[in-house]
Short mmCIF file of all heavy atoms in Angstrom, two decimals:
data_model
loop_
_atom_site.label_atom_id
_atom_site.label_comp_id
_atom_site.label_asym_id
_atom_site.label_seq_id
_atom_site.Cartn_x
_atom_site.Cartn_y
_atom_site.Cartn_z
N MET A 1 97.68 99.07 10.42
CA MET A 1 98.02 100.46 10.64
C MET A 1 99.46 100.59 11.13
O MET A 1 100.15 101.49 10.71
CB MET A 1 97.05 101.10 11.63
CG MET A 1 95.62 101.28 11.11
SD MET A 1 95.45 102.17 9.55
CE MET A 1 96.20 103.73 9.89
N ARG A 2 99.86 99.67 12.00
CA ARG A 2 101.23 99.73 12.50
C ARG A 2 102.23 99.67 11.36
O ARG A 2 103.16 100.46 11.28
CB ARG A 2 101.48 98.60 13.50
CG ARG A 2 102.92 98.58 14.04
CD ARG A 2 103.18 97.37 14.94
NE ARG A 2 102.87 96.10 14.34
CZ ARG A 2 103.63 95.47 13.43
NH1 ARG A 2 104.75 96.02 13.04
NH2 ARG A 2 103.27 94.30 12.94
N VAL A 3 102.01 98.72 10.45
CA VAL A 3 102.92 98.55 9.31
C VAL A 3 102.92 99.81 8.44
O VAL A 3 103.98 100.28 8.02
CB VAL A 3 102.51 97.31 8.49
CG1 VAL A 3 103.29 97.23 7.19
CG2 VAL A 3 102.72 96.04 9.31
N MET A 4 101.76 100.37 8.21
CA MET A 4 101.68 101.57 7.38
C MET A 4 102.37 102.76 8.04
O MET A 4 103.13 103.48 7.38
CB MET A 4 100.21 101.90 7.08
CG MET A 4 99.55 100.88 6.17
SD MET A 4 97.77 101.18 5.97
CE MET A 4 97.77 102.73 5.13
N PHE A 5 102.12 102.97 9.33
CA PHE A 5 102.76 104.09 10.02
C PHE A 5 104.27 103.91 10.04
O PHE A 5 105.02 104.86 9.82
CB PHE A 5 102.23 104.23 11.45
CG PHE A 5 100.84 104.83 11.54
CD1 PHE A 5 100.00 104.48 12.57
CD2 PHE A 5 100.38 105.74 10.61
CE1 PHE A 5 98.73 105.02 12.68
CE2 PHE A 5 99.11 106.29 10.70
CZ PHE A 5 98.29 105.93 11.74
N GLU A 6 104.73 102.70 10.33
CA GLU A 6 106.17 102.45 10.37
C GLU A 6 106.80 102.68 9.00
O GLU A 6 107.89 103.23 8.90
CB GLU A 6 106.45 101.04 10.88
CG GLU A 6 106.21 100.89 12.37
CD GLU A 6 106.37 99.47 12.87
OE1 GLU A 6 106.52 98.53 12.04
OE2 GLU A 6 106.35 99.28 14.10
N ALA A 7 106.11 102.25 7.94
CA ALA A 7 106.63 102.44 6.58
C ALA A 7 106.77 103.93 6.25
O ALA A 7 107.65 104.32 5.47
CB ALA A 7 105.73 101.75 5.57
N MET A 8 105.92 104.75 6.83
CA MET A 8 105.97 106.20 6.59
C MET A 8 106.86 106.91 7.59
O MET A 8 107.03 108.13 7.54
CB MET A 8 104.57 106.79 6.65
CG MET A 8 103.67 106.34 5.50
SD MET A 8 102.06 107.15 5.52
CE MET A 8 101.18 106.11 6.69
N GLY A 9 107.46 106.17 8.53
CA GLY A 9 108.33 106.77 9.53
C GLY A 9 107.59 107.59 10.57
O GLY A 9 108.15 108.52 11.15
N LEU A 10 106.33 107.24 10.83
CA LEU A 10 105.51 108.00 11.78
C LEU A 10 105.49 107.31 13.14
O LEU A 10 105.33 106.09 13.24
CB LEU A 10 104.08 108.12 11.26
CG LEU A 10 103.91 108.85 9.93
CD1 LEU A 10 102.47 108.76 9.48
CD2 LEU A 10 104.35 110.29 10.07
N ASP A 11 105.66 108.10 14.18
CA ASP A 11 105.50 107.59 15.54
C ASP A 11 104.01 107.48 15.83
O ASP A 11 103.21 108.26 15.33
CB ASP A 11 106.13 108.54 16.56
CG ASP A 11 107.64 108.54 16.49
OD1 ASP A 11 108.22 107.49 16.13
OD2 ASP A 11 108.25 109.58 16.80
N PHE A 12 103.65 106.53 16.67
CA PHE A 12 102.25 106.37 17.01
C PHE A 12 102.14 105.68 18.36
O PHE A 12 103.09 105.07 18.84
CB PHE A 12 101.50 105.55 15.95
CG PHE A 12 101.95 104.11 15.88
CD1 PHE A 12 101.29 103.14 16.59
CD2 PHE A 12 103.04 103.76 15.12
CE1 PHE A 12 101.70 101.81 16.54
CE2 PHE A 12 103.48 102.45 15.06
CZ PHE A 12 102.80 101.47 15.76
N CYS A 13 100.98 105.83 18.97
CA CYS A 13 100.68 105.04 20.15
C CYS A 13 99.31 104.42 19.93
O CYS A 13 98.41 105.06 19.39
CB CYS A 13 100.73 105.87 21.43
SG CYS A 13 99.34 106.97 21.67
N ARG A 14 99.18 103.19 20.31
CA ARG A 14 97.91 102.49 20.17
C ARG A 14 97.12 102.71 21.44
O ARG A 14 97.63 102.56 22.55
CB ARG A 14 98.15 101.00 19.95
CG ARG A 14 96.88 100.24 19.67
CD ARG A 14 97.19 98.79 19.33
NE ARG A 14 95.99 98.09 18.93
CZ ARG A 14 95.08 97.63 19.79
NH1 ARG A 14 95.25 97.80 21.08
NH2 ARG A 14 94.02 96.99 19.35
N VAL A 15 95.87 103.10 21.27
CA VAL A 15 95.00 103.36 22.41
C VAL A 15 94.14 102.13 22.65
O VAL A 15 93.50 101.62 21.73
CB VAL A 15 94.12 104.60 22.14
CG1 VAL A 15 93.18 104.86 23.30
CG2 VAL A 15 94.98 105.82 21.85
N VAL A 16 94.14 101.66 23.87
CA VAL A 16 93.35 100.48 24.23
C VAL A 16 91.86 100.85 24.14
O VAL A 16 91.43 101.89 24.63
CB VAL A 16 93.70 99.98 25.64
CG1 VAL A 16 92.83 98.81 26.04
CG2 VAL A 16 95.17 99.59 25.70
N ALA A 17 91.09 99.98 23.52
CA ALA A 17 89.66 100.23 23.34
C ALA A 17 88.90 100.07 24.65
O ALA A 17 89.33 99.37 25.56
CB ALA A 17 89.09 99.26 22.31
N VAL A 18 87.76 100.75 24.72
CA VAL A 18 86.84 100.59 25.85
C VAL A 18 85.94 99.40 25.55
O VAL A 18 85.36 99.32 24.46
CB VAL A 18 85.99 101.85 26.06
CG1 VAL A 18 84.94 101.64 27.14
CG2 VAL A 18 86.87 103.06 26.36
N ASP A 19 85.83 98.48 26.48
CA ASP A 19 84.94 97.34 26.32
C ASP A 19 83.57 97.73 26.83
O ASP A 19 83.34 97.80 28.04
CB ASP A 19 85.49 96.13 27.09
CG ASP A 19 84.62 94.90 26.95
OD1 ASP A 19 83.58 94.94 26.26
OD2 ASP A 19 84.98 93.87 27.55
N GLY A 20 82.67 98.02 25.91
CA GLY A 20 81.33 98.43 26.29
C GLY A 20 80.59 97.41 27.12
O GLY A 20 79.71 97.75 27.92
N LYS A 21 80.95 96.14 26.97
CA LYS A 21 80.29 95.08 27.75
C LYS A 21 80.68 95.14 29.23
O LYS A 21 80.00 94.54 30.05
CB LYS A 21 80.63 93.71 27.17
CG LYS A 21 80.01 93.48 25.80
CD LYS A 21 80.37 92.11 25.28
CE LYS A 21 79.78 91.88 23.91
NZ LYS A 21 80.13 90.57 23.38
N SER A 22 81.73 95.86 29.54
CA SER A 22 82.15 95.97 30.95
C SER A 22 81.38 97.06 31.69
O SER A 22 81.50 97.18 32.90
CB SER A 22 83.65 96.24 31.04
OG SER A 22 83.94 97.54 30.58
N LEU A 23 80.59 97.85 30.97
CA LEU A 23 79.81 98.92 31.58
C LEU A 23 78.51 98.37 32.16
O LEU A 23 77.87 97.51 31.56
CB LEU A 23 79.48 99.99 30.54
CG LEU A 23 80.65 100.69 29.86
CD1 LEU A 23 80.15 101.56 28.72
CD2 LEU A 23 81.45 101.49 30.85
N SER A 24 78.13 98.90 33.30
CA SER A 24 76.84 98.51 33.87
C SER A 24 75.73 99.16 33.06
O SER A 24 75.96 100.12 32.31
CB SER A 24 76.75 98.95 35.33
OG SER A 24 76.64 100.36 35.40
N SER A 25 74.52 98.68 33.23
CA SER A 25 73.40 99.28 32.51
C SER A 25 73.21 100.73 32.94
O SER A 25 72.85 101.59 32.13
CB SER A 25 72.12 98.48 32.72
OG SER A 25 71.82 98.38 34.09
N GLY A 26 73.49 101.04 34.21
CA GLY A 26 73.39 102.42 34.69
C GLY A 26 74.43 103.32 34.04
O GLY A 26 74.11 104.45 33.66
N GLU A 27 75.66 102.82 33.94
CA GLU A 27 76.72 103.61 33.28
C GLU A 27 76.34 103.87 31.83
O GLU A 27 76.50 104.98 31.32
CB GLU A 27 78.05 102.88 33.35
CG GLU A 27 78.67 102.85 34.72
CD GLU A 27 79.89 101.96 34.79
OE1 GLU A 27 79.84 100.81 34.29
OE2 GLU A 27 80.90 102.42 35.35
N LYS A 28 75.88 102.82 31.15
CA LYS A 28 75.48 102.96 29.75
C LYS A 28 74.35 103.98 29.61
O LYS A 28 74.38 104.83 28.72
CB LYS A 28 75.06 101.60 29.18
CG LYS A 28 74.97 101.57 27.68
CD LYS A 28 74.78 100.16 27.17
CE LYS A 28 73.31 99.86 27.03
NZ LYS A 28 72.99 98.66 26.30
N ALA A 29 73.38 103.93 30.52
CA ALA A 29 72.25 104.87 30.47
C ALA A 29 72.72 106.31 30.69
O ALA A 29 72.21 107.23 30.04
CB ALA A 29 71.21 104.48 31.51
N ASN A 30 73.68 106.51 31.58
CA ASN A 30 74.20 107.85 31.84
C ASN A 30 75.00 108.42 30.68
O ASN A 30 75.14 109.63 30.56
CB ASN A 30 75.08 107.86 33.10
CG ASN A 30 74.28 107.77 34.37
OD1 ASN A 30 73.12 108.16 34.42
ND2 ASN A 30 74.89 107.23 35.41
N LEU A 31 75.54 107.54 29.85
CA LEU A 31 76.39 107.97 28.75
C LEU A 31 75.64 108.15 27.43
O LEU A 31 76.22 108.64 26.47
CB LEU A 31 77.51 106.94 28.54
CG LEU A 31 78.54 106.84 29.65
CD1 LEU A 31 79.39 105.59 29.48
CD2 LEU A 31 79.41 108.09 29.66
N THR A 32 74.40 107.74 27.37
CA THR A 32 73.69 107.76 26.09
C THR A 32 72.38 108.53 26.18
O THR A 32 71.83 108.73 27.26
CB THR A 32 73.39 106.34 25.61
OG1 THR A 32 72.59 105.67 26.59
CG2 THR A 32 74.67 105.53 25.38
N ARG A 33 71.92 108.93 25.05
CA ARG A 33 70.60 109.52 24.88
C ARG A 33 69.90 108.71 23.79
O ARG A 33 70.56 108.04 23.00
CB ARG A 33 70.70 111.00 24.46
CG ARG A 33 71.41 111.88 25.47
CD ARG A 33 70.58 112.00 26.75
NE ARG A 33 71.24 112.76 27.79
CZ ARG A 33 71.87 112.23 28.83
NH1 ARG A 33 71.94 110.93 28.97
NH2 ARG A 33 72.44 112.98 29.74
N PRO A 34 68.59 108.79 23.70
CA PRO A 34 67.90 108.00 22.67
C PRO A 34 68.43 108.31 21.27
O PRO A 34 68.72 109.46 20.94
CB PRO A 34 66.44 108.45 22.81
CG PRO A 34 66.32 108.94 24.22
CD PRO A 34 67.66 109.55 24.54
N LYS A 35 68.59 107.26 20.49
CA LYS A 35 69.02 107.42 19.10
C LYS A 35 67.81 107.82 18.25
O LYS A 35 66.66 107.58 18.62
CB LYS A 35 69.63 106.12 18.55
CG LYS A 35 70.91 105.75 19.25
CD LYS A 35 71.68 104.64 18.55
CE LYS A 35 70.91 103.39 18.29
NZ LYS A 35 71.72 102.30 17.76
N SER A 36 68.08 108.41 17.11
CA SER A 36 67.00 108.90 16.25
C SER A 36 66.10 107.77 15.74
O SER A 36 64.93 108.00 15.45
CB SER A 36 67.57 109.69 15.08
OG SER A 36 68.41 108.87 14.29
N ASP A 37 66.64 106.56 15.65
CA ASP A 37 65.83 105.44 15.15
C ASP A 37 65.04 104.75 16.27
O ASP A 37 64.31 103.79 16.03
CB ASP A 37 66.69 104.42 14.40
CG ASP A 37 67.76 103.77 15.26
OD1 ASP A 37 67.79 103.99 16.49
OD2 ASP A 37 68.57 103.02 14.69
N GLY A 38 65.21 105.22 17.51
CA GLY A 38 64.49 104.65 18.63
C GLY A 38 65.10 103.38 19.20
O GLY A 38 64.63 102.87 20.22
N MET A 39 66.12 102.86 18.56
CA MET A 39 66.77 101.64 19.04
C MET A 39 67.74 101.98 20.17
O MET A 39 68.37 103.03 20.15
CB MET A 39 67.53 100.95 17.90
CG MET A 39 66.65 100.49 16.75
SD MET A 39 65.46 99.22 17.24
CE MET A 39 66.57 97.88 17.58
N PRO A 40 67.84 101.11 21.15
CA PRO A 40 68.79 101.38 22.24
C PRO A 40 70.23 101.21 21.75
O PRO A 40 70.50 100.50 20.79
CB PRO A 40 68.44 100.31 23.28
CG PRO A 40 67.80 99.22 22.50
CD PRO A 40 67.10 99.87 21.34
N TRP A 41 71.13 101.88 22.42
CA TRP A 41 72.55 101.74 22.12
C TRP A 41 73.01 100.35 22.57
O TRP A 41 72.68 99.90 23.65
CB TRP A 41 73.35 102.78 22.88
CG TRP A 41 73.21 104.17 22.36
CD1 TRP A 41 72.17 105.01 22.58
CD2 TRP A 41 74.13 104.87 21.54
NE1 TRP A 41 72.39 106.20 21.95
CE2 TRP A 41 73.59 106.14 21.31
CE3 TRP A 41 75.36 104.56 20.99
CZ2 TRP A 41 74.24 107.09 20.54
CZ3 TRP A 41 76.01 105.50 20.23
CH2 TRP A 41 75.46 106.75 20.00
N THR A 42 73.77 99.70 21.74
CA THR A 42 74.36 98.42 22.14
C THR A 42 75.63 98.70 22.95
O THR A 42 76.20 99.80 22.87
CB THR A 42 74.73 97.55 20.93
OG1 THR A 42 75.79 98.20 20.20
CG2 THR A 42 73.53 97.31 20.03
N ALA A 43 76.05 97.71 23.71
CA ALA A 43 77.29 97.85 24.47
C ALA A 43 78.47 98.12 23.54
O ALA A 43 79.35 98.92 23.85
CB ALA A 43 77.55 96.58 25.29
N GLN A 44 78.46 97.49 22.37
CA GLN A 44 79.54 97.68 21.41
C GLN A 44 79.57 99.11 20.89
O GLN A 44 80.65 99.71 20.75
CB GLN A 44 79.41 96.69 20.24
CG GLN A 44 79.63 95.25 20.62
CD GLN A 44 78.36 94.57 21.16
OE1 GLN A 44 77.34 95.19 21.42
NE2 GLN A 44 78.43 93.26 21.33
N GLU A 45 78.40 99.68 20.61
CA GLU A 45 78.35 101.05 20.11
C GLU A 45 78.87 102.03 21.15
O GLU A 45 79.61 102.97 20.82
CB GLU A 45 76.91 101.43 19.73
CG GLU A 45 76.41 100.75 18.49
CD GLU A 45 74.93 101.01 18.24
OE1 GLU A 45 74.14 101.01 19.21
OE2 GLU A 45 74.57 101.22 17.06
N VAL A 46 78.51 101.82 22.40
CA VAL A 46 78.98 102.69 23.47
C VAL A 46 80.50 102.55 23.60
O VAL A 46 81.21 103.54 23.73
CB VAL A 46 78.27 102.39 24.80
CG1 VAL A 46 78.85 103.24 25.93
CG2 VAL A 46 76.77 102.64 24.67
N GLY A 47 81.00 101.33 23.54
CA GLY A 47 82.44 101.11 23.62
C GLY A 47 83.20 101.79 22.50
O GLY A 47 84.24 102.42 22.72
N VAL A 48 82.68 101.70 21.29
CA VAL A 48 83.33 102.36 20.14
C VAL A 48 83.32 103.87 20.34
O VAL A 48 84.34 104.55 20.12
CB VAL A 48 82.63 101.97 18.82
CG1 VAL A 48 83.08 102.85 17.68
CG2 VAL A 48 82.91 100.51 18.48
N ALA A 49 82.19 104.42 20.73
CA ALA A 49 82.08 105.87 20.93
C ALA A 49 83.06 106.35 22.00
O ALA A 49 83.76 107.35 21.82
CB ALA A 49 80.65 106.26 21.28
N LEU A 50 83.14 105.63 23.12
CA LEU A 50 84.06 106.01 24.19
C LEU A 50 85.52 105.86 23.76
O LEU A 50 86.37 106.68 24.13
CB LEU A 50 83.78 105.19 25.45
CG LEU A 50 82.47 105.48 26.15
CD1 LEU A 50 82.26 104.51 27.31
CD2 LEU A 50 82.41 106.92 26.65
N SER A 51 85.79 104.83 22.99
CA SER A 51 87.16 104.62 22.49
C SER A 51 87.58 105.78 21.60
O SER A 51 88.69 106.31 21.72
CB SER A 51 87.26 103.30 21.73
OG SER A 51 86.98 102.21 22.58
N HIS A 52 86.69 106.18 20.71
CA HIS A 52 87.00 107.31 19.82
C HIS A 52 87.14 108.60 20.63
O HIS A 52 88.03 109.42 20.35
CB HIS A 52 85.94 107.46 18.73
CG HIS A 52 86.04 106.40 17.69
ND1 HIS A 52 84.96 105.74 17.18
CD2 HIS A 52 87.12 105.88 17.05
CE1 HIS A 52 85.36 104.86 16.27
NE2 HIS A 52 86.67 104.92 16.19
N LEU A 53 86.29 108.79 21.61
CA LEU A 53 86.39 109.98 22.46
C LEU A 53 87.74 110.03 23.15
O LEU A 53 88.38 111.09 23.22
CB LEU A 53 85.25 109.98 23.48
CG LEU A 53 85.21 111.17 24.43
CD1 LEU A 53 85.04 112.48 23.68
CD2 LEU A 53 84.09 110.99 25.44
N ASN A 54 88.20 108.90 23.66
CA ASN A 54 89.53 108.86 24.29
C ASN A 54 90.63 109.26 23.32
O ASN A 54 91.56 109.98 23.68
CB ASN A 54 89.80 107.47 24.87
CG ASN A 54 88.99 107.18 26.10
OD1 ASN A 54 88.46 108.08 26.74
ND2 ASN A 54 88.89 105.91 26.46
N CYS A 55 90.53 108.79 22.08
CA CYS A 55 91.53 109.15 21.06
C CYS A 55 91.48 110.65 20.77
O CYS A 55 92.53 111.31 20.69
CB CYS A 55 91.29 108.37 19.78
SG CYS A 55 91.67 106.62 19.92
N TRP A 56 90.29 111.18 20.61
CA TRP A 56 90.15 112.62 20.32
C TRP A 56 90.72 113.46 21.46
O TRP A 56 91.37 114.49 21.23
CB TRP A 56 88.70 112.99 20.07
CG TRP A 56 88.10 112.34 18.87
CD1 TRP A 56 88.74 111.95 17.72
CD2 TRP A 56 86.74 111.96 18.68
NE1 TRP A 56 87.86 111.37 16.85
CE2 TRP A 56 86.63 111.37 17.42
CE3 TRP A 56 85.60 112.07 19.48
CZ2 TRP A 56 85.42 110.89 16.92
CZ3 TRP A 56 84.40 111.60 18.98
CH2 TRP A 56 84.32 111.02 17.71
N LYS A 57 90.50 113.03 22.71
CA LYS A 57 91.05 113.76 23.86
C LYS A 57 92.57 113.74 23.83
O LYS A 57 93.21 114.77 24.08
CB LYS A 57 90.54 113.15 25.17
CG LYS A 57 89.12 113.50 25.50
CD LYS A 57 88.72 112.85 26.82
CE LYS A 57 87.29 113.16 27.19
NZ LYS A 57 86.90 112.50 28.45
N LEU A 58 93.16 112.58 23.55
CA LEU A 58 94.62 112.50 23.48
C LEU A 58 95.18 113.43 22.40
O LEU A 58 96.18 114.11 22.61
CB LEU A 58 95.05 111.06 23.18
CG LEU A 58 94.98 110.08 24.34
CD1 LEU A 58 95.26 108.66 23.85
CD2 LEU A 58 95.98 110.48 25.40
N ILE A 59 94.52 113.46 21.25
CA ILE A 59 94.97 114.34 20.17
C ILE A 59 94.82 115.80 20.57
O ILE A 59 95.74 116.61 20.41
CB ILE A 59 94.19 114.03 18.87
CG1 ILE A 59 94.56 112.63 18.35
CG2 ILE A 59 94.47 115.09 17.80
CD1 ILE A 59 93.66 112.11 17.26
N ALA A 60 93.66 116.15 21.12
CA ALA A 60 93.39 117.54 21.50
C ALA A 60 94.33 118.04 22.59
O ALA A 60 94.73 119.20 22.58
CB ALA A 60 91.94 117.70 21.93
N GLU A 61 94.66 117.18 23.53
CA GLU A 61 95.50 117.57 24.66
C GLU A 61 96.99 117.45 24.34
O GLU A 61 97.83 117.91 25.12
CB GLU A 61 95.15 116.74 25.89
CG GLU A 61 93.75 117.01 26.41
CD GLU A 61 93.28 116.02 27.47
OE1 GLU A 61 94.02 115.04 27.75
OE2 GLU A 61 92.18 116.23 27.99
N GLY A 62 97.32 116.82 23.22
CA GLY A 62 98.71 116.60 22.86
C GLY A 62 99.32 117.82 22.19
O GLY A 62 98.67 118.81 21.89
N SER A 63 100.61 117.72 21.94
CA SER A 63 101.35 118.84 21.33
C SER A 63 101.49 118.69 19.83
O SER A 63 101.96 119.61 19.16
CB SER A 63 102.72 118.96 21.98
OG SER A 63 103.47 117.75 21.76
N GLU A 64 101.11 117.56 19.28
CA GLU A 64 101.24 117.34 17.84
C GLU A 64 100.19 118.13 17.07
O GLU A 64 99.09 118.39 17.57
CB GLU A 64 101.10 115.84 17.51
CG GLU A 64 102.13 114.96 18.17
CD GLU A 64 103.55 115.24 17.70
OE1 GLU A 64 103.73 115.67 16.54
OE2 GLU A 64 104.48 115.05 18.50
N ARG A 65 100.52 118.50 15.86
CA ARG A 65 99.58 119.27 15.04
C ARG A 65 98.50 118.39 14.41
O ARG A 65 97.45 118.87 14.04
CB ARG A 65 100.34 120.01 13.94
CG ARG A 65 101.23 121.12 14.49
CD ARG A 65 101.98 121.85 13.40
NE ARG A 65 101.03 122.41 12.45
CZ ARG A 65 101.33 122.62 11.17
NH1 ARG A 65 102.52 122.33 10.70
NH2 ARG A 65 100.41 123.14 10.37
N PHE A 66 98.78 117.08 14.28
CA PHE A 66 97.86 116.18 13.61
C PHE A 66 97.73 114.88 14.40
O PHE A 66 98.60 114.53 15.16
CB PHE A 66 98.36 115.85 12.19
CG PHE A 66 98.56 117.05 11.33
CD1 PHE A 66 99.80 117.61 11.17
CD2 PHE A 66 97.47 117.64 10.69
CE1 PHE A 66 99.98 118.73 10.38
CE2 PHE A 66 97.64 118.76 9.91
CZ PHE A 66 98.90 119.30 9.75
N GLY A 67 96.65 114.18 14.15
CA GLY A 67 96.45 112.88 14.75
C GLY A 67 95.65 112.01 13.80
O GLY A 67 94.96 112.51 12.91
N ALA A 68 95.77 110.71 13.98
CA ALA A 68 95.02 109.78 13.12
C ALA A 68 94.43 108.68 13.98
O ALA A 68 94.98 108.31 14.99
CB ALA A 68 95.95 109.16 12.07
#
């Protein structure tokens, strides 16, 4: 992505991912609700969801018209 953005002359910032494995079971429980398939959320799934949420917040709170 860095190479592609640079080739297009786009500024970007890389957002550090959330490591779902660093969350306690209580934190994970507070952040999730049962999935439709009945399977529990994995630490990785919670980390991905939180990482994306952080990106969406940065885009929403920023002054740029677009984000990727």
Side-chain angles (χ1 to χ4, degrees):
M1 291 306 302
R2 179 185 53 77
V3 171
M4 291 174 65
F5 285 150
E6 287 175 352
M8 292 185 276
L10 299 174
D11 289 330
F12 66 94
C13 74
R14 186 174 185 281
V15 178
V16 177
V18 174
D19 181 0
K21 291 180 181 180
S22 70
L23 300 172
S24 70
S25 57
E27 289 172 312
K28 194 171 92 168
N30 286 333
L31 293 167
T32 59
R33 299 293 176 259
K35 294 192 306 187
S36 61
D37 62 6
M39 297 297 292
W41 287 79
T42 66
Q44 292 86 350
E45 289 172 320
V46 176
V48 168
L50 291 175
S51 297
H52 286 137
L53 180 61
N54 287 342
C55 290
W56 296 330
K57 284 180 181 179
L58 284 172
I59 293 168
E61 294 169 355
S63 61
E64 300 296 330
R65 292 180 57 208
F66 303 97

